[in-house]
Amino acid sequence: LSFLSGKEPPMLLLHGADDTTVLPLHTRKFYERAVSLGVSTQKQILPDRGHANLVLALSRLQDRDNAVRKEVLAFLPR
């Protein structure tokens, strides 16, 4: 939060609803601050995902988990 300046490129914030390492509250606060500074920001809380699940979903180890990849690929053209 402290380092947001409003000059950041568009951001995609993905968070697992089951994340107990970083609570969804932190993503919500970051999102709200970024938006208040005029940063184009998209937030998605993904159900049934923990902290590591989002990163693993982008690896070849989890080819069957397309929900995370779909969110990222839809955001990239922005």
Side-chain angles (χ1 to χ4, degrees):
L1 289 173
S2 300
F3 297 105
L4 285 170
S5 68
K7 298 177 183 176
E8 290 77 17
M11 287 190 251
L12 172 63
L13 305 176
L14 298 177
H15 200 110
D18 295 341
D19 190 339
T20 58
T21 303
V22 178
L23 300 177
L25 164 76
H26 298 291
T27 298
R28 191 187 83 232
K29 285 184 176 185
F30 190 91
Y31 170 80
E32 289 170 356
R33 174 79 172 135
V35 169
S36 76
L37 292 171
V39 178
S40 175
T41 309
Q42 181 180 337
K43 174 185 67 147
Q44 184 72 27
I45 306 294
L46 299 170
D48 304 320
R49 299 264 186 329
H51 191 74
N53 295 114
L54 293 178
V55 176
L56 288 174
L58 296 172
S59 76
R60 291 180 188 243
L61 298 174
Q62 297 280 324
D63 277 340
R64 66 176 191 257
D65 186 0
N66 292 323
V68 174
R69 257 187 262 161
K70 189 184 292 184
E71 292 288 338
V72 172
L73 292 174
F75 175 79
L76 285 177
R78 295 180 61 201

